[in-house]
Amino acid sequence: NAGVTQTPKFQVLKTGQSMTLQCAQDMNHNSMYWYRQDPGMGLRLIYYSASEGTTDKGEVPNGYNVSRLNKREFSLRLESAAPSQTSVYFCASSESSVTYEQYFGPGTRLTVT
Amino acid sequence: GDSVTQMEGPVTLSEEAFLTINCTYTATGYPSLFWYVQYPGEGLQLLLKATKADDKGSNKGFEATYRKETTSFHLEKGSVQVSDSAVYFCALSEGGSYIPTFGRGTSLIVHP
């Protein structure tokens, strides 16, 4: 049982390049999330997927797109990377139950130069 | 809307000292409350939770009690260790909402 996995762990991009961050969970959770974490800003929600087949914007969706490929996988795409997107990105999943406790992946550290 | 306020850090303690990290919240209903911990270079992991008023969550020597009357969920540990050095996040989620609300996080540094 691997929990939530993310690839890659580290990435360096040049401004304008594109990339996709991959996330998968093996806990049969319905809901999945993408966050970014910046110093002094806490966690900010980018997009979430309440269930397979649905996606919704979070607090900071601009510059990102997502795909809920199936129940297990939820990817985040940067179409044209900007230095402001330098951050640590976390994927999380949760059960669709009363408490919605979250399970996080190890993160992707992205630098855009 | 919902919000979570945590004390700002860093909190710096000596080993075996008593720890309190304050957390207060505002919510429209009756949320579940959580503490998550993030060790350096890792993702967040659930430390403890409480789902109703007066519940006490506990794990690894940490405790927090859901206080509805003061809308608080303070994290405590009687004797911290160097290995407890991490960032601690208070969070809430309300039934029917898929989106949790996180505090900004409090960094704890424990010196030998």
Side-chain angles (χ1 to χ4, degrees):
Chain A
N1 190 341
V4 179
T5 57
Q6 292 184 236
T7 55
K9 286 189 167 49
F10 300 94
Q11 184 71 49
V12 178
L13 291 178
K14 294 187 188 305
T15 297
Q17 288 185 319
S18 62
M19 78 162 295
T20 299
L21 281 64
Q22 307 286 354
C23 173
Q25 52 92 9
D26 62 1
M27 295 172 283
N28 202 36
H29 288 169
N30 285 320
S31 302
M32 298 185 74
Y33 307 78
W34 276 105
Y35 294 91
R36 60 179 289 173
Q37 184 178 35
D38 303 290
M41 301 293 289
L43 283 174
R44 292 185 290 172
L45 182 65
I46 304 171
Y47 271 92
Y48 69 101
S49 171
S51 61
E52 187 179 356
T54 69
T55 60
D56 285 286
K57 295 178 181 179
E59 181 186 352
V60 288
N62 291 345
Y64 305 95
N65 285 300
V66 291
S67 294
R68 184 74 183 267
L69 303 169
N70 48 53
K71 192 171 185 179
R72 289 187 64 247
E73 298 172 287
F74 188 40
S75 63
L76 178 72
R77 182 158 178 85
L78 286 70
E79 290 291 351
S80 178
S84 61
Q85 294 179 305
T86 293
S87 188
V88 182
Y89 291 85
F90 290 102
C91 179
S93 68
S94 71
E95 298 177 7
S96 296
S97 63
V98 175
T99 60
Y100 291 101
E101 61 197 69
Q102 301 218 312
Y103 296 79
F104 285 81
T108 295
R109 283 144 186 84
L110 175 66
T111 302
V112 183
T113 61
Chain B
D2 295 349
S3 68
V4 174
T5 303
Q6 294 181 233
M7 59 191 291
E8 289 198 19
V11 173
T12 304
L13 296 173
S14 296
E15 207 165 24
E16 299 184 2
F18 185 85
L19 168 71
T20 299
I21 300 178
N22 290 336
C23 172
T24 57
Y25 68 90
T26 58
T28 53
Y30 300 94
S32 295
L33 301 174
F34 308 88
W35 277 102
Y36 290 86
V37 59
Q38 183 180 29
Y39 298 105
E42 298 184 8
L44 282 70
Q45 54 185 276
L46 181 67
L47 180 60
L48 54 84
K49 69 179 182 183
T51 58
K52 62 183 188 295
D54 300 324
D55 268 2
K56 178 185 283 189
S58 61
N59 187 23
K60 301 181 181 180
F62 290 89
E63 293 183 338
T65 301
Y66 190 142
R67 301 285 188 201
K68 184 168 174 291
E69 63 276 13
T70 54
T71 61
S72 65
F73 193 55
H74 304 320
L75 182 68
E76 296 182 335
K77 187 176 186 184
S79 176
V80 293
Q81 305 300 312
V82 172
S83 57
D84 294 325
S85 298
V87 180
Y88 293 82
F89 290 87
C90 186
L92 69 82
S93 69
E94 296 216 59
S97 171
Y98 292 98
I99 304 174
T101 300
F102 285 87
R104 288 281 185 98
T106 302
S107 174
L108 170 66
I109 301 169
V110 181
H111 294 293

